Amino acid sequence: MTDVSRRSLSVLFACTVLLPVSAQAQVSAQVSAQARPDTRAMTCAEASALVARAGAIVLSTGPATYARFVRDGGFCPLPETTQPSWETTRDDPKCFVGYTCRDKFNEGQGRD
């Protein structure tokens, strides 16, 4: 194989294999840098459906606040239990979006 054909193969490999992998890594980095879904930007139905569909999800609840919401107690670690959670949404100031996990042996106090 000549030097020219080796260089051509190197360039071909770089264009067909390395560039797509690099582009995919860049897209993945952009996706992971996206903001959390914000309850204030969703309707009540959208927020509660998102929690129900995901099972457990972290949502923004204010400019600098967030919480982990769960569909049911199966998404809470032992020995925690669920506590109903109402959050502000675009169309309802007190929307039931799901539950938060709370320590059942700490008189209703959370991990906070």
Side-chain angles (χ1 to χ4, degrees):
M1 196 177 266
T2 67
D3 286 338
V4 172
S5 60
R6 282 191 186 123
R7 269 187 260 141
S8 296
L9 283 176
S10 306
V11 170
L12 180 63
F13 176 77
C15 290
T16 58
V17 176
L18 297 179
L19 286 177
V21 169
S22 173
Q24 184 178 10
Q26 191 173 21
V27 168
S28 296
Q30 290 172 349
V31 168
S32 66
Q34 290 179 348
R36 286 182 291 273
D38 192 333
T39 59
R40 299 165 303 152
M42 293 184 263
T43 65
C44 185
E46 290 169 340
S48 58
L50 182 59
V51 173
R53 186 173 53 251
I57 188 168
V58 176
L59 300 173
S60 292
T61 57
T65 58
Y66 60 91
R68 180 176 181 264
F69 299 97
V70 297
R71 175 177 54 216
D72 56 57
F75 293 93
C76 294
L78 293 175
E80 294 184 357
T81 188
T82 56
Q83 178 177 353
S85 184
W86 289 267
E87 297 298 328
T88 301
T89 58
R90 190 172 69 218
D91 63 342
D92 189 349
K94 292 203 183 283
C95 170
F96 173 74
V97 295
Y99 301 92
T100 55
C101 298
R102 295 290 178 230
D103 185 346
K104 61 181 155 185
F105 298 115
N106 197 10
E107 298 181 16
Q109 300 298 314
R111 293 175 268 173
D112 316 336

